[in-house]
Amino acid sequence: MLSFYDQIGGHATFVRLVDAFYRGVAEDDVLRPMYPEADLGPAAERLTLFLEQYWGGPATYSERRGHPRLRQRHIPFHVNPDARDRWLAHMRTAVDELDLSPLHEATLWDYLQRAAHAMVNTFEPTGIGPDRPHDAGTLPIHPLPATDASASSGG
């Protein structure tokens, strides 16, 4: 039985997917700063190798970089829901460009969504990317009740 990698066209398909994805990332003011290299080529190669290996292609990713450890590799980055949603938007465009069969498209998209949600490591709106507006204000973590706080402490 052919692997998913082979079923959807192997290396050429994953290169097309990743190239289309990084075209969007290159123009994204939140995601682009997460890639320190001057060009996105090294990141594109890493993602291509990872996806190929995950879907049954060559094990080149692990041979070069060891275990994927996706969560650990993303810890240094400020991956909040906004970054996740932007990542997914660019990936959605890329997946659509592949024109896969409905089953293959759904299988790939399901994985990409789950992976993106798993990479969220903060809900703070600040970090890499645009600063929060100065007038955005903050919400207290444990707001005091409207009544006198000492009355509720039993004293």
Side-chain angles (χ1 to χ4, degrees), residues 17-35:
L17 173 71
V18 171
D19 285 352
F21 168 73
Y22 278 110
R23 278 195 305 272
V25 169
E27 303 299 320
D28 192 294
D29 61 345
V30 169
L31 297 182
R32 182 59 182 98
M34 294 187 195
Y35 298 90

Side-chain angles (χ1 to χ4, degrees), residues 11-55:
H11 179 73
T13 299
F14 284 97
V15 167
R16 286 178 38 228
L17 173 71
V18 171
D19 285 352
F21 168 73
Y22 278 110
R23 278 195 305 272
V25 169
E27 303 299 320
D28 192 294
D29 61 345
V30 169
L31 297 182
R32 182 59 182 98
M34 294 187 195
Y35 298 90
E37 289 111 349
D39 91 62
L40 292 168
E45 181 181 18
R46 290 187 299 268
L47 181 58
T48 301
L49 293 175
F50 169 76
L51 290 172
E52 287 179 332
Q53 178 174 305
Y54 180 86
W55 291 105

